Amino acid sequence: MHSLKYKELQRDCLLREYESRQKQARQLEKSLSSLTCCLEKDLSSIDYINLKKFYYDVACRVHSNVMPIHQKKLEKLNGGPIGQNYDEMKSKTVHNISSYTLSSTEERLLCRGWDFCIENKVLDFLEFETDVELNSMKIESSCHSSVFRSLCRHMHNASQQLMRSCKRKKFSNLSDDELKSLKSLKSNKNIVIAKADKGNSIVILDKESYIKKAEQILKGNQFQEINNKNYHQERENELNKYIYALLKEGIIDQKLRFRLQSTCSSLSVFYGLPKIHKTEYPIRPIISTIGSFQYELSKYLAKAIKDSSPQADSYIKDAFEFVKKIKSTILDKEKSYMMCSFDVESLYTNVPVEEAINVTLDFMFKPTKNISIPFNREQMKKLLELSVCDAPFRFQNKIYKQIDGVAMGSPLAPILANLWLQRIEQKLNRFSKNRPIIWLRYVDDIFCLFDIPKAKILEFHSRINKWHKNLKFTIEMESNKTLPFLDVLVTRDHDHNQLTTSLYRKPTHTGLYLL
């Protein structure tokens, strides 16, 4: 109780001191302005300029002596450095593997993160004022009422000043040097700046190296280069003809036809995300289908499949559901347990498309099931084939098509991959022994708990690698009774017969949320 009162008194004293100093500063500014006017009248122009320069130099020396003292005080109050420590951040947020040497300004700019939003104007002043007020209310419970009032007053004054200046001219949340660096990086044709595969960091690669990595992937069996420049238009026409045929048959109405058909579409785009957690920085292939002829159809089908297909018991949608499921697990003190995780290598590119489509149709068109879509099995199959089979895309002015696998970047990719894996998981029922007690899957990451020796687990790993020729699982065993999975660190607490969880940060985590 006494400590709370002391803190309130301390805050109140600091506030009074702050207001007193502000008042003194304003009075000194007025006195200085008045004295300057008098000196300018009484002195010659040369004497006035020399005197002004002398006092300016004195003020600069005082400022340079005082600022480090204030900085130390602020750091002591803050319990650490004030603001962003870019020297520490750049090792996590910026990975320069190119031959280009970044300047300090360019490093500072890139340290702001991939999601940093460059602002140069306020579009809606009423919305801006509302946001300021709503955000200021969030700190009310964290500070003294007098401090809160002072903060609100200063925030209000600052926002009003900002809006007044915005009406006259543009403003920027980047310095002039940073804007120059941004333009310089953009105009540099020898490098590629990409978002890392995991985390919020930025990777700078030599363009030549990036193209070689991408072309190496495109030489795989899943892709094929196309010499027919009209292939994209032919596929679009094929889709539109089939949609029109469905309309003529009365399967769909005009509204759905206009939603699914394609006009003036663009080619999908291939790009790669560097994997900074792996040696030699391989890239993860992504094919962005936004704006392509099959994009709207893919979105429609993805929602229809998701709504009509059941989720397996092993499915988890996020880390929260994972924690909820394993919290209920009770361990037997008389048994010996071991955790491990399996990861499917390159799941999306290894999904056999035709097989995945048939599996999806099996889930959707069960005899005892009513579905809300207007298509029968054959029509649905044709639409899925139009969406994902032989989909064209471009890279470096060349046109390719994906002849197998699903494209990461397509709305249908996670749905088809999940249902295909869900069907394969049913083979777990064939295990009469050495089965995992827990088998939980998030996309291609699987958490398992066994009550068998490590040798038997490795034998189990060997068996599941024979489930399908396109599937290859990697394994990670627990270490010191702990195992990271998603953003969770799972610990076997044998004393309390349970699995405990705590927050886990991957090595690729930058700690960057908002700047």
Side-chain angles (χ1 to χ4, degrees):
M1 186 69 179
H2 293 295
S3 61
L4 287 173
K5 287 184 177 180
Y6 172 75
K7 286 181 179 179
E8 287 181 8
L9 178 63
Q10 189 182 40
R11 285 178 178 273
D12 191 48
C13 290
L14 283 170
L15 178 64
R16 290 176 184 273
E17 178 70 14
Y18 173 75
E19 289 178 342
S20 174
R21 292 292 179 92
Q22 287 285 88
K23 189 176 180 180
Q24 288 177 14
R26 287 193 293 269
Q27 289 174 349
L28 285 171
E29 283 178 2
K30 287 181 180 179
S31 301
L32 183 62
S33 178
S34 176
L35 181 60
T36 303
C37 290
C38 292
L39 288 171
E40 192 174 6
K41 290 178 182 177
D42 297 338
L43 297 175
S44 65
S45 57
I46 296 174
D47 290 338
Y48 173 73
I49 291 170
N50 288 332
L51 185 63
K52 189 176 179 181
K53 185 178 181 302
F54 170 76
Y55 280 114
Y56 177 77
D57 292 338
V58 171
C60 287
R61 285 198 298 272
V62 172
H63 182 268
S64 62
N65 292 331
V66 169
M67 283 307 293
I69 298 171
H70 284 302
Q71 185 71 18
K72 287 180 181 178
K73 287 180 179 179
L74 285 170
E75 288 179 1
K76 189 176 180 181
L77 286 169
N78 191 54
I82 303 298
Q84 298 292 341
N85 186 345
Y86 288 100
D87 288 332
E88 183 181 329
M89 285 177 62
K90 68 182 180 183
S91 62
K92 292 183 178 180
T93 56
V94 181
H95 299 265
N96 185 9
I97 57 173
S98 70
S99 56
Y100 176 73
T101 303
L102 295 169
S103 67
S104 57
T105 309
E106 288 170 340
E107 283 183 342
R108 182 184 176 89
L109 172 69
L110 295 175
C111 277
R112 294 179 180 272
W114 191 263
D115 297 325
F116 180 76
C117 181
I118 301 171
E119 292 288 351
N120 60 5
K121 59 184 175 180
V122 176
L123 297 174
D124 190 330
F125 290 100
L126 182 60
E127 187 178 337
F128 175 72
E129 283 187 283
T130 305
D131 286 339
V132 170
E133 288 194 27
L134 288 173
N135 283 289
S136 63
M137 288 170 65
K138 293 178 183 178
I139 61 174
E140 184 175 8
S141 60
S142 304
C143 60
H144 191 269
S145 57
S146 57
V147 176
F148 177 69
R149 287 195 300 271
S150 176
L151 283 172
C152 287
R153 185 170 65 253
H154 286 294
M155 288 172 69
H156 173 75
N157 293 339
S159 62
Q160 292 297 318
Q161 184 179 353
L162 179 62
M163 286 188 289
R164 284 195 296 271
S165 64
C166 286
K167 290 176 181 178
R168 295 192 300 271
K169 61 179 181 179
K170 291 184 178 181
F171 72 95
S172 176
N173 54 356
L174 291 179
S175 66
D176 291 340
D177 288 339
E178 286 174 327
L179 284 170
K180 288 178 183 176
S181 296
L182 185 64
K183 292 176 182 177
S184 173
L185 288 170
K186 184 180 178 181
S187 62
N188 191 334
K189 303 300 181 183
N190 298 319
I191 60 172
V192 171
I193 301 175
K195 186 178 185 294
D197 176 47
K198 292 182 179 178
N200 196 28
S201 55
I202 292 174
V203 186
I204 301 97
L205 307 91
D206 286 318
K207 189 172 184 178
E208 185 179 346
S209 172
Y210 173 78
I211 292 173
K212 281 182 179 178
K213 291 175 189 287
E215 288 178 343
Q216 192 65 34
I217 292 172
L218 294 172
K219 287 177 182 177
N221 296 329
Q222 297 94 343
F223 305 102
Q224 180 182 328
E225 188 176 348
I226 303 172
N227 295 320
N228 180 7
K229 293 183 179 180
N230 298 321
Y231 182 76
H232 168 254
Q233 189 61 50
E234 290 170 2
R235 291 299 308 277
E236 184 178 61
N237 292 339
E238 183 185 0
L239 169 66
N240 288 338
K241 284 179 182 178
Y242 190 71
I243 297 296
Y244 184 70
L246 292 175
L247 175 70
K248 286 296 184 183
E249 293 174 20
I251 306 297
I252 61 174
D253 56 19
Q254 280 284 8
K255 184 179 179 181
L256 187 55
R257 176 209 173 185
F258 288 132
R259 179 181 173 184
L260 301 182
Q261 73 177 8
S262 172
T263 54
C264 302
S265 64
S266 58
L267 272 167
S268 301
V269 179
F270 176 97
Y271 64 94
L273 300 180
K275 300 179 181 181
I276 59 173
H277 56 290
K278 294 190 177 181
T279 56
E280 297 184 2
Y281 293 87
I283 62 173
R284 182 186 297 279
I286 309 290
I287 301 175
S288 174
T289 59
I290 297 173
S292 64
F293 72 89
Q294 75 271 36
Y295 183 67
E296 290 300 326
L297 175 61
S298 297
K299 281 203 304 182
Y300 172 81
L301 294 178
K303 186 178 185 306
I305 296 169
K306 188 176 180 180
D307 292 342
S308 59
S309 301
Q311 293 292 356
D313 294 335
S314 62
Y315 172 81
I316 49 173
K317 66 177 181 180
D318 52 31
F320 296 102
E321 188 175 355
F322 170 68
V323 170
K324 187 177 179 181
K325 284 193 174 185
I326 67 169
K327 281 285 188 181
S328 59
T329 304
I330 299 174
L331 305 179
D332 189 343
K333 279 191 174 183
E334 296 180 359
K335 290 184 178 181
S336 177
Y337 295 93
M338 186 166 285
M339 299 180 294
C340 72
S341 64
F342 297 110
D343 178 46
V344 182
E345 283 192 0
S346 305
L347 171 62
Y348 287 85
T349 52
N350 285 318
V351 172
V353 177
E354 287 295 336
E355 187 178 330
I357 288 174
N358 288 325
V359 167
T360 302
L361 295 172
D362 289 342
F363 275 113
M364 292 184 70
F365 294 93
K366 288 183 178 179
T368 57
K369 191 171 185 180
N370 294 322
I371 57 174
S372 58
I373 58 173
F375 313 113
N376 60 33
R377 185 184 176 104
E378 289 304 314
Q379 292 164 346
M380 189 69 181
K381 183 176 182 179
K382 178 64 176 177
L383 290 171
L384 285 169
E385 287 173 346
L386 287 169
S387 298
V388 296
C389 292
D390 297 333
F393 61 91
R394 63 179 173 86
F395 179 74
Q396 290 293 305
N397 298 321
K398 292 182 181 179
I399 301 175
Y400 300 83
K401 67 177 179 179
Q402 186 167 4
I403 55 179
D404 204 5
V406 289
M408 184 178 286
S410 166
L412 277 168
I415 306 288
L416 295 178
N418 178 57
L419 290 175
W420 179 67
L421 263 183
Q422 193 170 313
R423 169 62 62 84
I424 290 177
E425 280 178 335
Q426 293 176 359
K427 295 183 179 182
L428 275 174
N429 297 326
R430 298 178 186 175
F431 286 79
S432 57
K433 56 182 180 178
N434 297 339
R435 291 180 58 178
I437 298 169
I438 296 177
W439 173 285
L440 297 174
R441 179 174 59 84
Y442 175 78
V443 191
D444 57 353
D445 293 320
I446 301 160
F447 174 85
C448 289
L449 178 69
F450 290 89
D451 59 355
I452 55 177
K454 184 177 179 180
K456 293 290 184 181
I457 297 174
L458 295 176
E459 185 182 321
F460 175 85
H461 176 222
S462 178
R463 287 185 65 183
I464 64 174
N465 267 333
K466 297 175 183 177
W467 276 355
H468 196 283
K469 63 179 182 178
N470 287 31
L471 269 184
K472 185 179 179 183
F473 293 90
T474 59
I475 186 171
E476 181 183 355
M477 304 297 295
E478 67 172 54
S479 176
N480 297 324
K481 298 183 180 181
T482 62
L483 180 73
F485 186 76
L486 304 181
D487 292 325
V488 180
L489 186 66
V490 187
T491 305
R492 280 194 298 109
D493 188 352
H494 205 65
D495 296 333
H496 296 88
N497 306 330
Q498 62 181 358
L499 298 174
T500 60
T501 58
S502 58
L503 183 66
Y504 174 73
R505 291 301 185 202
K506 296 177 182 178
T508 54
H509 179 69
T510 60
L512 189 63
Y513 295 101
L514 183 65
L515 280 177

